[in-house]
Amino acid sequence: MEVLMFLLISSFYIMTGNAVNPGCECLIFSGTYGKDYGRFTSPDFPKPYPSGIDCLLYNFIAGSHEVIELVFNHFDMHQTSPDCTGGDFLKVFLHLDSGGVNELTPWTGLLCGRNPPRVLYSSGPALVLQMHTRSPQANSSGFDGTFRFINKDLYKSDGTQVPGTNCDYRFVKRKGKFYSPLYPSSYARGTRCSYIFRAKIKERIIVTFEELNLQSGDLSCLEREDVVKVHDGGSSVAPVMAVLCNELSTTQLISTSNQLYIEFVAGSEWPGHGFQASYEIVSVSEDPSPLSTDGPAVSATRTSCDVILSSDSQKEGFITSPNYPLLNPTNVHCKYHLIGSGKERIQIVFKDFNLSVSDSNGNKECDQDSLSVYMLIDGEMERTSTLCGDALPASIMSNGPRIVLELKSQILSHMQGFRAQYLFTKNFGITTGKQLSQYPCAFRFSSDDEKHGYFYSPNFPGSYPRDVECHFLFHGKYQERVKIHFAHFDIEGILPCKTTSASDYVEFSNYMSRENKNSRHCGQLEPFEIESENKFFRVTFKSNDRLDGGGFNASYKFVDKTQLLLNVLSTNRTWHYEMNNILLLIVTLVFIFR
């Protein structure tokens, strides 16, 4: 019991038993006693915990209608192996019907090191942490956390479960919520669920993923075992609108028809927290309901120059400032709402631009005339840029199915305003290669079609949009290799281009899966070339929801590998000369000993 004397927590009591083995000590946490949270810590925290703890159980018991939330504020347990089995660790039991565990009870995972999941949720009214320490001189400080009990009825999906299935749901109500299995707890490995939405003719479905926390790790969705795949139609064979993985902030999707099919597949060793999402069925003739926003909203008071443009009406057209091409009037406040559907992104291409700009001590400011751009970020329509002056802006592309432009003119202006083309596009502004329907953004380049050509990032030469993952797949013939030359490369990020540094990146692979020999590329790079090792090559571009970059522009060429070898020989004359001498010697010897 000496190990336990450090704990000064009023919400537990200590008992000894044979839950796992007769030597286990057990701490019971059964209430927070009127407080929002209770607290738990490792022995002696924040001092290093003792070695030789064979089995210390932290047993959290909630009411039958509740689940448990654990939040680690600090975690430091000595790690000696990647799978946490060799050093100090916490064994986690998340899926229990009661608080008792034994040597046969299946556990969810092991925690060690310094970067475990920050939040854990039980799937039922019990959760157990089992602590083991083996390192004699670990000098690790252990852990400190809080717990609370949550009503699990808050996380019931509003659909109807399909008979004979574990987690398939159909949705017919006008609006509601849906969740990953066991949410807010982690979903189980081997999960496969479908969420089927069917509305009336001339209706569509708006789905908003408010939280998505799947398999941890820094990989593209192409390589993840845990993904949410959204099909723009009524079944899994319908075109893919979006593939979601890893961790994402708010993402909104709008169907093109009255049907939507969502697949959730999970096969990773350490499942994530899961997802929560909302949906709404709206009439095509209605304006899709705007999210709460500090920026301009569709429901805001409209002026005479407010415009709402939907891809249902037409896929492209022009927007202009009032009176264009005459002088811009004073006290103008116009909003241009553009709403697409499916995998559509909205591209704005400026044809003419002339707005007043002030100059204060050499700093140009858009405080007279301005055109502001709003996009959905973290659940809010946030301003991503403000434009003014007479330089023609680069093209803009939305990060989802919505974009809002807001024009303001404070003074009597002598400027003409602007004229811009808008396009609702499914190809992300990429017009080369063959787009593949089984991915949100993927393009195939085959030597059977073209031996050479070019490709580029979405919206190039404008900045690429946020929250995009695009794959460029090159297929050559048996003896062919592909050579790629990047003439322009400006990808927001810091080496080694990881998500920990909020970096966008370009990644290369000779396979559909990732390979370690090709490092990621990001930043502003001088022109460079890369060459495949076999007939297939993959280039993946991925952007996050933070900053934008100028993108890339590249050319490609399929070359026969024998020609590549001859090129190498011809560029190294000394080696070529020596090879001729060797060949001549071989021929001479054959002639002599014939």
Side-chain angles (χ1 to χ4, degrees):
M1 297 293 292
E2 181 181 355
V3 171
L4 305 175
M5 297 302 293
F6 72 96
L7 286 169
L8 299 175
I9 306 174
S10 61
S11 59
F12 74 91
Y13 59 89
I14 303 169
M15 56 181 274
T16 306
N18 59 356
V20 177
N21 65 60
C24 279
E25 301 289 350
C26 187
L27 310 182
I28 305 296
F29 299 83
S30 58
T32 58
Y33 300 94
K35 298 180 180 180
D36 292 334
Y37 300 90
R39 183 169 175 247
F40 65 99
T41 69
S42 57
D44 297 335
F45 183 85
K47 297 179 181 179
Y49 52 77
S51 62
I53 299 177
D54 182 50
C55 178
L56 175 59
L57 295 179
Y58 294 74
N59 198 330
F60 300 86
I61 306 295
S64 59
H65 64 291
E66 294 176 323
V67 295
I68 300 123
E69 176 192 75
L70 297 188
V71 178
F72 288 105
N73 301 317
H74 175 88
F75 194 96
D76 178 20
M77 295 193 71
H78 184 63
Q79 181 175 3
T80 60
S81 62
D83 60 2
C84 299
T85 57
D88 304 337
F89 60 86
L90 279 181
K91 183 177 287 187
V92 181
F93 299 83
L94 295 180
H95 308 303
L96 301 172
D97 294 326
S98 63
V101 296
N102 57 43
E103 66 275 6
L104 300 179
T105 305
W107 40 274
T108 309
L110 302 179
L111 302 181
C112 67
R114 294 185 176 182
N115 295 298
R118 184 173 179 269
V119 184
L120 297 175
Y121 291 90
S122 69
S123 59
L127 188 155
V128 172
L129 303 177
Q130 182 180 324
M131 185 177 184
H132 295 267
T133 65
R134 300 170 180 171
S135 306
Q137 295 178 339
N139 200 34
S140 298
S141 56
F143 52 84
D144 168 46
T146 59
F147 69 93
R148 65 173 179 150
F149 304 130
I150 304 173
N151 188 342
K152 67 180 181 182
D153 290 338
L154 298 174
Y155 303 103
K156 285 187 176 180
S157 293
D158 288 312
T160 301
Q161 188 169 349
V162 178
T165 68
N166 292 324
C167 56
D168 293 350
Y169 286 86
R170 296 184 184 276
F171 299 85
V172 294
K173 293 181 180 179
R174 301 295 296 179
K175 62 192 308 183
K177 296 268 192 179
F178 63 100
Y179 306 89
S180 54
L182 306 181
Y183 189 89
S185 182
S186 60
Y187 47 86
R189 183 185 181 188
T191 294
R192 182 176 290 273
C193 304
S194 62
Y195 305 84
I196 306 163
F197 300 83
R198 186 181 296 273
K200 298 177 182 178
I201 300 298
K202 294 187 178 182
E203 290 183 333
R204 65 181 47 180
I205 302 103
I206 303 174
V207 170
T208 304
F209 285 90
E210 297 157 355
E211 180 189 6
L212 188 133
N213 185 324
L214 304 185
Q215 177 184 4
S216 61
D218 186 8
L219 293 173
S220 73
C221 293
L222 188 68
E223 306 159 70
R224 305 311 280 168
E225 295 176 281
D226 299 358
V227 295
V228 173
K229 189 175 291 187
V230 183
H231 296 267
D232 195 13
S235 70
S236 59
V237 299
V240 176
M241 180 194 307
V243 176
L244 310 178
C245 70
N246 301 329
E247 296 183 25
L248 286 176
S249 57
T250 301
T251 300
Q252 189 176 76
L253 304 166
I254 304 175
S255 68
T256 59
S257 69
N258 65 325
Q259 298 184 69
L260 195 68
Y261 186 92
I262 299 178
E263 291 180 282
F264 175 45
V265 179
S268 65
E269 291 287 344
W270 181 256
H273 178 42
F275 65 82
Q276 64 172 338
S278 61
Y279 75 93
E280 182 176 7
I281 297 174
V282 299
S283 171
V284 173
S285 60
E286 297 175 2
D287 299 333
S289 300
L291 295 180
S292 173
T293 171
D294 293 328
V298 175
S299 60
T301 302
R302 298 173 182 173
T303 68
S304 58
C305 61
D306 278 356
V307 176
I308 297 177
L309 298 169
S310 169
S311 63
D312 295 324
S313 309
Q314 54 188 48
K315 295 300 183 182
E316 60 180 272
F318 289 89
I319 53 177
T320 63
S321 56
N323 291 352
Y324 179 88
L326 302 178
L327 297 182
N328 205 27
T330 186
N331 295 325
V332 169
H333 188 189
C334 301
K335 298 169 188 173
Y336 307 81
H337 306 267
L338 294 97
I339 306 170
S341 62
K343 67 168 65 175
E344 289 178 340
R345 300 292 178 107
I346 302 123
Q347 188 176 37
I348 308 293
V349 182
F350 292 96
K351 303 299 184 180
D352 191 13
F353 195 89
N354 197 339
L355 295 179
S356 298
V357 60
S358 63
D359 193 335
S360 176
N361 297 324
N363 297 319
K364 294 185 177 180
E365 298 180 1
C366 300
D367 57 357
Q368 296 179 359
D369 291 351
S370 65
L371 183 68
S372 297
V373 182
Y374 290 83
M375 299 187 195
L376 182 65
I377 300 174
D378 290 332
E380 303 288 340
M381 291 297 287
E382 293 188 3
R383 183 169 55 191
T384 58
S385 61
T386 299
L387 309 173
C388 61
D390 57 4
L392 194 66
S395 58
I396 297 170
M397 181 168 285
S398 66
N399 64 343
R402 299 172 182 264
I403 192 171
V404 177
L405 305 180
E406 183 180 39
L407 175 66
K408 289 184 178 181
S409 179
Q410 305 294 340
I411 64 172
L412 181 61
S413 176
H414 298 289
M415 303 298 178
Q416 290 180 329
F418 76 91
R419 180 174 182 265
Q421 184 182 19
Y422 66 87
L423 303 98
F424 293 99
T425 176
K426 295 181 179 180
N427 64 9
F428 296 84
I430 300 169
T431 59
T432 63
K434 178 183 179 182
Q435 188 169 12
L436 305 178
S437 63
Q438 61 266 41
Y439 305 98
C441 180
F443 299 84
R444 186 178 191 269
F445 299 83
S446 172
S447 67
D448 290 331
D449 300 326
E450 295 285 348
K451 291 294 185 183
H452 59 86
Y454 62 94
F455 66 105
Y456 41 85
S457 55
N459 194 48
F460 189 84
S463 297
Y464 52 78
R466 304 180 188 186
D467 289 323
V468 168
E469 179 174 312
C470 288
H471 308 285
F472 304 89
L473 310 176
F474 295 86
H475 295 264
K477 296 179 180 178
Y478 176 68
Q479 293 291 327
E480 289 181 331
R481 303 293 181 263
V482 61
K483 294 183 68 174
I484 297 176
H485 175 80
F486 285 86
H488 176 85
F489 194 96
D490 177 17
I491 305 298
E492 177 68 30
I494 304 171
L495 289 174
C497 311
K498 301 290 186 180
T499 57
T500 52
S501 61
S503 295
D504 305 329
Y505 62 82
V506 171
E507 190 173 76
F508 307 108
S509 177
N510 289 282
Y511 312 95
M512 283 298 284
S513 59
R514 187 183 185 187
E515 59 175 315
N516 294 326
K517 66 175 63 179
N518 286 315
S519 60
R520 290 178 176 176
H521 289 59
C522 63
Q524 294 181 335
L525 303 181
E526 295 295 324
F528 67 96
E529 289 189 350
I530 190 165
E531 182 181 305
S532 69
E533 294 182 356
N534 53 50
K535 64 180 182 178
F536 174 80
F537 198 59
R538 172 173 66 86
V539 178
T540 293
F541 164 74
K542 188 173 179 64
S543 66
N544 56 32
D545 62 352
R546 307 292 179 84
L547 302 175
D548 309 318
F552 67 83
N553 183 27
S555 60
Y556 69 89
K557 179 169 61 174
F558 289 100
V559 182
D560 190 285
K561 71 176 183 179
T562 55
Q563 182 62 44
L564 288 174
L565 179 60
L566 291 176
N567 291 341
V568 172
L569 294 178
S570 64
T571 56
N572 192 330
R573 296 182 179 180
T574 301
W575 194 89
H576 192 208
Y577 177 77
E578 295 297 333
M579 282 298 296
N580 283 338
N581 288 340
I582 293 173
L583 290 173
L584 180 60
L585 177 61
I586 292 173
V587 171
T588 303
L589 291 174
V590 170
F591 180 78
I592 292 174
F593 294 103
R594 195 174 59 175

